[in-house]
Amino acid sequence: MPHNILYPLLLLLFSCDCIAEDQQEGNKVQAERTEQLKVEKFQSELAELKSTVSSLKYKLQVTEEQLKQLRRNEYKVAFGATLGSIGNFGPFSAPVTLVYSNVYVNEGSAYNPNTGIFTAPVKGAYFFSFSGHNRSSKVLNLGLFKNGEQMVIVFNNPLGDRYESTANSISLSLEKGDCVYVRLRETSWVFDNNSHHNSFVGHLLFAL
């Protein structure tokens, strides 16, 4: 083959190889750049996700605190009441639920001053105290009841014609809706005046 033809052909082949190599190198650089962009995008999205998770965790903590505060406010339960100026009350032939109508505090409105019955608004541990006062010419016998079952009593024997007082207290575990009240037992009596000797008190210790 004449030299004047061979030389241009060799030059053309060399040029094609160089172009192919340059193109391969360019493709490699482009691929690396594309991969780098993917990594940077992933890192950016990951950082944004971490920020979102951190924000959600903070909001969850705040919400939990708000719920705890709401629960504490919702479960404020306390009452205190006395019989008031009723004079002698009793005796009767059957037990009678005492109605402590002179109310000093009734936070949560769980005590009903019309019936004398406390109804637990929430499951929890509660504290109750009650007192009795009468002329001891007749027996004093009061019982604290939970859903019809006697828990504790206050009692004194007839000791003559003088005034006597007695008291008792107890902590109880109550379910929501449980009822607690004081009953005057049959053949017993109490006495009260504006000194408020006979009281019924209770409050929630903590919710369960």
Side-chain angles (χ1 to χ4, degrees):
M1 182 177 294
H3 290 289
N4 59 345
I5 297 175
L6 181 59
Y7 180 76
L9 286 174
L10 291 174
L11 184 60
L12 179 61
L13 289 172
F14 178 75
S15 299
C16 290
D17 288 341
C18 290
I19 293 172
E21 288 178 1
D22 289 343
Q23 187 173 6
Q24 288 178 357
E25 185 66 24
N27 291 340
K28 182 179 179 181
V29 171
Q30 183 64 34
E32 290 176 350
R33 179 58 182 164
T34 301
E35 187 65 26
Q36 181 64 28
L37 290 174
K38 288 182 179 179
V39 170
E40 291 176 356
K41 182 180 180 182
F42 174 77
Q43 290 176 338
S44 175
E45 290 176 347
L46 182 60
E48 184 178 351
L49 181 61
K50 287 181 178 179
S51 176
T52 301
V53 170
S54 177
S55 177
L56 289 174
K57 286 176 67 176
Y58 174 75
K59 289 180 180 179
L60 180 61
Q61 290 174 350
V62 171
T63 301
E64 288 176 344
E65 278 301 315
Q66 289 173 339
L67 287 174
K68 288 179 182 178
Q69 184 64 38
L70 180 62
R71 184 176 298 171
R72 285 193 290 267
N73 292 337
E74 181 182 359
Y75 296 151
K76 285 182 178 178
V77 182
F79 76 96
T82 63
L83 289 178
S85 300
I86 62 172
N88 289 315
F89 186 74
F92 303 100
S93 59
V96 175
T97 299
L98 292 180
V99 178
Y100 299 83
S101 57
N102 187 46
V103 179
Y104 291 93
V105 61
N106 193 13
E107 187 70 34
S109 301
Y111 173 73
N112 188 334
N114 297 311
T115 64
I117 297 174
F118 171 84
T119 304
V122 63
K123 180 180 180 180
Y126 293 80
F127 174 82
F128 296 96
S129 175
F130 65 112
S131 63
H133 178 81
N134 75 346
R135 291 174 61 188
S136 59
S137 58
K138 293 184 177 64
V139 69
L140 171 63
N141 188 354
L142 301 177
L144 181 76
F145 284 76
K146 168 189 169 183
N147 298 333
E149 180 182 359
Q150 182 174 280
M151 300 288 102
V152 291
I153 68 169
V154 296
F155 181 89
N156 65 19
N157 286 303
L159 298 174
D161 194 11
R162 64 183 187 184
Y163 290 98
E164 299 283 344
S165 295
T166 183
N168 206 344
S169 59
I170 190 173
S171 294
L172 296 174
S173 179
L174 302 181
E175 298 289 335
K176 181 179 180 179
D178 282 350
C179 294
V180 178
Y181 45 91
V182 178
R183 305 207 81 182
L184 176 71
R185 304 306 298 264
E186 58 272 25
T187 72
S188 176
W189 70 347
V190 292
F191 172 83
D192 212 346
N193 54 24
N194 55 13
S195 294
H196 305 288
H197 301 281
N198 297 267
S199 63
F200 182 29
V201 175
H203 61 266
L204 173 67
L205 296 172
F206 49 86
L208 295 174

